[in-house]
Amino acid sequence: MPIYKNNMKFHVVTLFPESFSSYLNESILARAQKNKLIDFKFYNPRDFVKPTKVQTKKDKPYLRVDEKPYGGGPGMLIQAEPMLKALTFIKNKIEKNKKANKIKIIHLSPSGKKFTNTYAAGVTKKFDHVIIVCGRYEGIDARVKKIFKGDGLSIGDYVLTGGELAALVMIDTISRQVKGVLGNHDSVEEMRNASPDVYTRPEILVFNGKKYKVPTVLLSGNHAKIEEWRAKQAKSSNL
Ligand code: SAH
């Protein structure tokens, strides 16, 4: 077994850290963690606030992180302070480590710049730590992104209830670009001609009485021809 270095560390600021584990601890990402290629840490802004004062004996103290928006409007916002405390904690922890510590901060937002595969590859190349800030409700007090500068990014033109799914999409895509995470680094699309249509056994599939055949070129054993076919297919895809 080759010895890998820890190539990418993800630090996620989220009110719902438990929502990540089932996805990250399966399959390729689970193996990559075991091989120390990627690493995840979660920080809950709630852990950085003091409990609210109780008014009556019946009230339970509550770790409050949200408040109404100035200027009115629906919903609640996550306050700046708990976020700033969490981010300060993460940065201090990283900077204590004398080793490589190039940090990229990502602020998730439906109105951010579109996250792409090219962006993911660039992050993998240039940074050792990625801090992802997940919002909830109507978002986060804007002063957080002013103080901790980073990239405002969206995964698509739709609005999610929180940043956790978007963070998972980015973690998955960035991890895939870390050397050694995919069994064979050639699996990364941009390193080869990746056809959008792929086939495996059986050679002839019968479904509801109809036969579906694998394209004959893939069975030819002629690698030049196969590559040519795949290149043509790849051209018609967006990747
Ligand atoms: N009213 C807010 C929407 C907040 S959605 C606005 O217009 O900006 C709540 C949180 O979910 C956001 O703070 C962000 O962290 C996350 N989120 C929602 N949709 C997203 C998307 N398409 N890409 C990335 N993050 C998103």
Side-chain angles (χ1 to χ4, degrees):
M1 164 75 88
I3 298 165
Y4 294 112
K5 78 175 177 65
N6 222 351
N7 276 304
M8 185 58 86
K9 288 178 187 280
F10 295 94
H11 307 262
V12 186
V13 183
T14 168
L15 287 171
F16 301 96
E18 290 80 21
S19 59
F20 286 82
S21 61
S22 68
Y23 189 79
L24 297 178
N25 293 322
E26 296 283 358
S27 184
I28 290 172
L29 297 184
R31 187 185 63 199
Q33 286 177 79
K34 234 173 103 194
N35 289 340
K36 306 219 177 309
L37 296 170
I38 53 174
D39 178 58
F40 307 107
K41 296 261 173 351
F42 299 92
Y43 309 83
N44 192 336
R46 234 184 262 290
D47 295 339
F48 294 85
V49 293
K50 289 201 186 99
T52 50
K53 287 209 174 75
V54 290
Q55 306 292 327
T56 70
K57 269 192 188 156
K58 267 199 280 173
D59 291 344
K60 280 204 184 111
Y62 180 66
L63 298 168
R64 182 175 200 137
V65 291
D66 60 332
E67 271 295 352
K68 288 185 196 135
Y70 279 121
M76 299 294 267
L77 296 183
I78 302 179
Q79 292 174 280
E81 278 129 316
M83 284 290 181
L84 294 174
K85 281 183 185 157
L87 286 164
T88 307
F89 179 84
I90 298 168
K91 270 208 144 172
N92 287 344
K93 215 172 79 171
I94 295 172
E95 272 150 19
K96 252 200 218 149
N97 180 348
K98 295 275 175 318
K99 279 186 263 166
N101 56 12
K102 285 204 185 112
I103 305 168
K104 168 60 82 192
I105 300 179
I106 296 174
H107 295 282
L108 300 176
S109 158
S111 48
K113 256 178 76 178
K114 195 77 59 70
F115 174 76
T116 63
N117 218 37
T118 311
Y119 177 90
V123 166
T124 309
K125 234 192 201 156
K126 291 184 221 130
F127 298 93
D128 309 295
H129 298 265
V130 179
I131 302 174
I132 306 179
V133 185
C134 301
R136 272 270 155 178
Y137 321 122
E138 282 302 308
I140 303 167
D141 187 309
R143 288 167 289 191
V144 172
K145 62 175 187 238
K146 217 170 175 182
I147 297 169
F148 282 92
K149 296 212 163 45
D151 296 342
L153 291 183
S154 160
I155 59 163
D157 295 334
Y158 36 80
V159 183
L160 302 161
T161 57
E164 288 72 17
L165 267 179
L168 278 172
V169 166
M170 293 187 188
I171 288 171
D172 191 301
T173 313
I174 294 169
S175 297
R176 226 175 144 271
Q177 299 284 339
V178 173
K179 201 163 183 216
V181 167
L182 297 179
N184 175 353
H185 196 52
D186 290 345
S187 299
V188 179
E189 261 74 10
E190 50 273 38
M191 314 270 177
R192 67 196 163 93
N193 292 320
S195 157
D197 289 344
V198 287
Y199 300 87
T200 186
R201 282 181 186 177
E203 201 179 305
I204 299 168
L205 174 77
V206 184
F207 187 76
N208 282 349
K210 226 177 132 183
K211 282 183 180 169
Y212 299 84
K213 285 186 193 157
V214 171
T216 39
V217 60
L218 297 178
L219 309 170
S220 68
N222 183 335
H223 290 292
K225 274 246 164 70
I226 291 171
E227 278 310 297
E228 198 183 304
W229 181 84
R230 283 184 174 151
K232 228 164 111 188
Q233 294 266 309
K235 245 193 191 159
S236 55
S237 88
N238 299 325
L239 261 176

